[in-house]
Amino acid sequence: MRRKATTISILVVLVSMTLFPVFSKRIVPEYAVRVVDIHGKPVAGVVLKQTWQDYSIEWLNGSHEAIETTDERGVATLPERRIRYSAFQFALSKARDIVSVINVHASYGAHSFVICQTHSCASSLDLDSRQTTLISKGKTH
């Protein structure tokens, strides 16, 4: 009877360690985004939407979103973004990465981008780019 209880306890611990998110990964570092008009002057009050996801680990969960607004200098500081995942999710992600090589349209790894919500901007920001400035073409209606 005692052996059965010990076995069950060990199984519960192993399942918990496998299924519950115990690992943390930085998806996006903290960075500042500056929004300027076509003349290079800062634009305050621009609402920016940041989206981020690790396609390898979170392929079932979908992406995360956050809203930030530029200050009087036209700058919005976007904080570091992290995700939490389990050992099971990690193992599945590695298997999926191998299989994804076959599918040329598959996305994997960490991705993030920033778009203007209240102004029409000439571009969006991608995590992989070194760009930190958006150019506003004016307020949307």
Side-chain angles (χ1 to χ4, degrees):
M1 186 66 148
R2 181 162 168 78
R3 184 178 176 129
K4 186 176 181 180
T6 302
T7 303
I8 290 173
S9 297
I10 290 171
L11 283 174
V12 167
V13 168
L14 288 175
V15 167
S16 296
M17 288 174 55
T18 304
L19 296 179
F20 293 115
V22 293
F23 301 104
S24 177
K25 178 181 180 182
R26 182 177 78 175
I27 301 298
V28 184
E30 177 181 308
Y31 63 100
V33 175
R34 183 169 182 243
V35 179
V36 296
D37 64 16
I38 58 174
H39 304 292
K41 295 181 181 173
V43 181
V46 177
V47 177
L48 303 173
K49 178 171 84 171
Q50 180 185 28
T51 304
W52 67 97
Q53 180 177 3
D54 187 317
Y55 289 107
S56 297
I57 295 172
E58 301 181 297
W59 52 281
L60 289 175
N61 302 353
S63 62
H64 310 274
E65 295 179 351
I67 302 293
E68 301 291 338
T69 305
T70 59
D71 61 17
E72 65 281 348
R73 299 172 297 135
V75 175
T77 301
L78 306 172
E80 175 182 86
R81 307 296 186 182
R82 300 186 76 81
I83 62 166
R84 295 183 55 79
Y85 59 95
S86 68
F88 181 70
Q89 285 174 301
F90 178 77
L92 277 180
S93 75
K94 293 307 167 193
R96 185 177 180 275
D97 286 351
I98 292 168
V99 174
S100 292
V101 173
I102 297 167
N103 182 357
V104 295
H105 301 290
S107 294
Y108 56 92
H111 294 277
S112 176
F113 61 90
V114 178
I115 60 172
C116 294
Q117 289 284 99
T118 56
H119 287 65
S120 176
C121 290
S123 62
S124 63
L125 297 179
D126 191 296
L127 168 70
D128 299 327
S129 73
R130 299 286 182 215
Q131 179 187 2
T132 58
T133 302
L134 289 170
I135 300 171
S136 172
K137 296 188 286 184
K139 192 164 185 135
T140 57
H141 303 291

